[in-house]
């Protein structure tokens, strides 16, 4: 007669299945435990609850949690923490709070890590009032929120634009002997830049002044650099996120050339820009009419890709920004070259790129190229907007090409656009003989 595996062995097996995302297999083993007359213990239940939470099935995990009582099994700290973490990750913080209260009633003291999870979950759901209340409750119960908890609160408050409240958390953090890190300051810089607050950057180190010298000569003194100075004074090294936040702030205020100067200074700190840095700067340059500078940056990055340098991977966003800028400047041939480059990189043009090109060809009077793009868009299942149709129809009419205008009208109808909407959008455009 063969030996049946005991509860310990089966629980290990369940845990293995659940850890690798095979919860269904875990339940099969769980059923064997019951059929063989064994009683699952707290480790068995917790393993399955963990597996369900890893698959974002937290509500099923709650139901299993309730079944533990039926089997007379008392949850332990790990059970509670696992379930609360899963509920927060799936944005079920209201239930997580109830489970948390039950945990306290059972005499279990939550750990700081679990409290951070609660704060993070509440913040992600936009429940800042509850997050703030929970934060204060932690302190009242003698729990010291750690840097992660403070950073989470500061980050979300910055997104709401409440910078004075953010400073309060920063000061409280320092008073309690916690050291703010780059993540802390990155959030603050981002918030300040988003608000566009500008004032003199006081108290910066010599290294920071060297970084800002070219900007100060142009009267550029972002408030974000006050926080940048704090980073340096505390002996922290600014990273790519720090610089990207500042560059974004400058671009939002249409000061892209100053952002370009800051970009060049990143090397002073040994910081390499990433794709988000390039994308942000290229977009900002194009929006301020500095497309040639953006194009130079694009070409420079492509030429420098290789060993020992950052690998810049242009995407549809960066390409779209430059192509749009080139078309508005009438440099459609260059824009066409970039489209071919995109396709060579296996990046498919989207509606934004097509619309930019159609506008560009109409702008330089090459309506045949624009017409060809309409057909190409249709073949790819994309649809020009009404503005693009109107641009082309106006172009055909100005050149006396009424038949071409009629062709485009039929094309619109075939693509499902309402003729009434089309005529209303024309607002007096003279298109007779339809």
């Amino acid at each position: 007669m063969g030996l049946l595996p005991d509860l310990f062995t089966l629980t290990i097996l369940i845990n293995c299945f659940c850890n690798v995302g095979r919860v269904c297999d875990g339940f099969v083993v769980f059923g064997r435990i019951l059929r063989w007359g064994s009683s699952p213990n707290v480790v068995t239940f917790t393993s399955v609850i963990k597996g369900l939470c890893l698959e974002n099935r937290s509500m099923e995990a709650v139901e299993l949690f309730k079944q533990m009582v039926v089997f007379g099994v008392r949850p332990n700290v790990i059970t509670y923490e696992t379930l609360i973490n899963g509920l927060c990750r799936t944005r079920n913080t209201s239930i997580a709070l109830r489970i948390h209260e039950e945990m306290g009633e059972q005499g279990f003291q939550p750990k700081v890590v679990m409290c951070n999870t609660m704060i993070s979950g509440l913040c992600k759901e936009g429940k800042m009032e509850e997050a703030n209340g929970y934060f204060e409750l932690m302190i009242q119960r003698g729990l010291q929120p750690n840097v992660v908890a403070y950073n989470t609160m500061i980050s979300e408050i910055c997104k709401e634009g409440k910078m004075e409240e953010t400073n309060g958390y920063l000061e409280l953090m320092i008073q309690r002997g916690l050291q703010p890190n780059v993540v802390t300051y990155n959030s603050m810089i981002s918030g300040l830049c988003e608000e566009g607050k500008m004032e003199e950057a006081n108290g910066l180190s010599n290294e920071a002044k060297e970084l800002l010298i070219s900007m100060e000569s142009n009267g550029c003194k972002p408030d974000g650099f006050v926080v940048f100075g704090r980073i340096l004074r505390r002996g922290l090294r600014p990273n790519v996120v720090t610089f990207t936040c500042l560059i974004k702030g400058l671009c939002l205020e249409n000061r892209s050339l100053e952002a370009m100067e800051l970009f060049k200074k990143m090397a002073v700190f040994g910081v390499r820009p990433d794709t988000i840095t390039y994308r942000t700067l290229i977009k900002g340059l194009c929006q301020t009419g500095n497309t040639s500078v953006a194009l130079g940056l694009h070409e420079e990055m492509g030429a420098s890709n290789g060993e020992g340098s950052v690998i810049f991977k242009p995407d549809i966003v960066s390409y779209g920004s430059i192509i749009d800028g080139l078309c508005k400047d009438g440099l459609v041939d260059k824009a066409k070259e970039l489209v071919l480059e995109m396709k060579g990189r296996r990046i498919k043009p989207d509606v934004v790129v097509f619309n930019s090109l159609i506008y560009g060809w109409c702008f330089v009077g090459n309506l045949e190229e624009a017409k060809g793009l309409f057909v190409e868009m249709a073949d790819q299942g994309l649809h020009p907007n009404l503005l693009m149709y109107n641009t082309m129809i106006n172009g055909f009419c100005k050149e006396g090409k009424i038949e071409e205008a009629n062709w485009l009208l039929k094309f619109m109808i075939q693509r499902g656009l309402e003729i009434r909407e089309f005529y209303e959008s024309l607002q007096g455009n003279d298109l007779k003989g339809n």
Side-chain angles (χ1 to χ4, degrees):
M1 179 179 177
L3 292 175
L4 290 176
D6 60 11
L7 179 62
F8 179 77
T9 303
L10 292 175
T11 298
I12 290 175
L13 187 56
I14 289 173
N15 189 54
C16 289
F17 278 134
C18 291
N19 279 337
V20 296
R22 295 172 59 181
V23 181
C24 291
D25 291 325
F27 269 115
V28 171
V29 179
F30 191 91
R32 289 176 183 171
I33 291 176
L34 300 178
R35 287 197 303 274
W36 292 341
S38 297
S39 297
N41 59 23
V42 64
V43 178
T44 315
F45 275 104
T46 302
S47 296
V48 182
I49 288 172
K50 179 182 178 182
L52 289 169
C53 289
L54 287 173
E55 292 189 358
N56 295 323
R57 297 161 63 181
S58 59
M59 297 310 298
E60 295 175 53
V62 171
E63 292 303 313
L64 184 59
F65 178 82
K66 294 176 181 177
Q67 290 298 315
M68 292 179 70
V69 179
V70 177
F71 285 88
V73 179
R74 185 171 182 254
N76 60 19
V77 173
I78 298 175
T79 314
Y80 280 110
E81 290 179 346
T82 301
L83 183 57
I84 289 171
N85 182 63
L87 287 166
C88 289
R89 191 168 60 244
T90 54
R91 296 178 179 263
N92 290 296
T93 52
S94 297
I95 300 174
L97 280 171
R98 291 203 298 269
I99 300 293
H100 178 269
E101 291 174 2
E102 178 185 325
M103 180 180 178
E105 292 170 357
Q106 294 297 321
F108 294 113
Q109 178 73 0
K111 297 177 183 178
V112 172
V113 174
M114 195 212 71
C115 294
N116 292 338
T117 300
M118 279 297 313
I119 290 173
S120 178
L122 290 166
C123 288
K124 287 178 180 178
E125 286 192 46
K127 299 178 179 178
M128 293 307 300
E129 187 174 343
E130 291 93 331
N132 186 60
Y134 186 84
F135 192 91
E136 293 177 355
L137 181 64
M138 284 181 66
I139 296 175
Q140 291 173 7
R141 291 182 176 178
L143 289 172
Q144 168 71 295
N146 62 14
V147 174
V148 176
Y150 277 99
N151 283 350
T152 301
M153 291 295 295
I154 287 172
S155 175
E156 294 303 318
I157 294 170
C158 284
K159 291 176 184 177
E160 294 187 348
K162 300 177 180 178
M163 298 310 299
E164 291 185 5
E165 190 174 336
T166 300
N167 287 328
Y169 272 98
L170 181 64
E171 293 303 320
L172 179 63
M173 188 177 181
I174 295 170
Q175 288 173 10
R176 292 184 170 271
L178 295 174
Q179 179 70 38
N181 57 24
V182 172
V183 176
T184 316
Y185 290 119
N186 281 344
S187 297
M188 296 186 69
I189 290 172
S190 181
L192 291 168
C193 289
E194 288 282 358
E195 284 193 342
K197 289 187 175 180
M198 310 296 279
E199 63 180 40
E200 186 173 0
N202 297 314
L204 295 179
S205 67
N206 291 331
E207 189 177 16
K209 288 178 180 178
E210 181 182 349
L211 174 70
L212 303 178
I213 189 167
S214 63
M215 301 178 70
E216 290 178 337
S217 63
N218 294 317
C220 172
K221 298 170 182 178
D223 192 24
F225 281 111
V226 174
V227 187
F228 186 81
R230 291 181 185 176
I231 291 178
L232 299 176
R233 288 199 301 275
R234 293 182 181 278
L236 301 171
R237 299 294 298 177
N239 61 17
V240 64
V241 180
T242 315
F243 281 100
T244 302
C245 288
L246 289 169
I247 288 170
K248 180 181 179 181
L250 290 168
C251 289
L252 286 172
E253 294 200 349
N254 297 323
R255 303 167 72 168
S256 60
L257 291 179
E258 296 166 43
M260 186 67 184
E261 290 302 311
L262 178 61
F263 173 83
K264 293 176 181 178
K265 293 291 184 179
M266 290 177 71
V268 175
F269 290 89
V271 178
R272 291 180 177 180
D274 60 14
T275 299
I276 298 174
T277 315
Y278 291 125
R279 181 194 299 166
T280 302
L281 183 53
I282 286 173
K283 182 179 180 180
L285 288 165
C286 292
Q287 288 177 338
T288 53
N290 294 295
T291 310
S292 59
V293 181
L295 183 60
L297 181 62
H298 172 84
E299 292 174 348
E300 176 187 332
M301 292 307 106
S304 64
N305 278 344
E307 188 175 353
S309 65
V310 64
I311 302 299
F312 172 52
K313 296 181 179 179
D315 56 13
I316 188 63
V317 177
S318 56
Y319 272 113
S321 297
I322 299 176
I323 289 170
D324 183 62
L326 289 170
C327 289
K328 287 178 179 176
D329 291 342
L331 303 173
V332 194
D333 286 327
K334 185 61 182 177
K336 187 176 181 179
E337 289 180 18
L338 284 185
V339 173
L340 294 175
E341 182 182 309
M342 282 178 63
K343 293 178 178 179
R345 293 177 180 269
R346 297 185 179 180
I347 300 174
K348 292 184 178 180
D350 60 5
V351 173
V352 175
V353 171
F354 274 110
N355 285 343
S356 297
L357 286 169
I358 289 170
Y359 171 86
W361 287 122
C362 289
F363 181 73
V364 299
N366 193 334
L367 297 174
E368 288 303 313
E369 283 279 1
K371 180 181 176 181
L373 288 171
F374 270 84
V375 177
E376 185 178 344
M377 286 185 73
D379 290 342
Q380 295 187 21
L382 302 174
H383 303 285
N385 57 30
L386 281 173
L387 177 60
M388 290 301 101
Y389 278 107
N390 293 344
T391 299
M392 281 210 49
I393 288 173
N394 281 323
F396 282 132
C397 289
K398 285 179 181 178
E399 293 192 9
K401 298 181 178 180
I402 304 300
E403 291 302 320
E404 295 287 356
N406 280 327
W407 168 85
L408 192 55
L409 176 59
K410 293 176 182 178
F411 189 90
M412 290 178 68
I413 297 171
Q414 290 171 358
R415 296 300 163 189
L417 290 174
E418 292 292 332
I419 190 168
R420 180 182 59 79
E421 183 182 9
F422 165 68
Y423 274 116
E424 288 176 353
S425 71
L426 286 179
Q427 303 247 327
N429 179 50
D430 186 17
L431 183 60
K432 298 179 180 179
N434 293 344

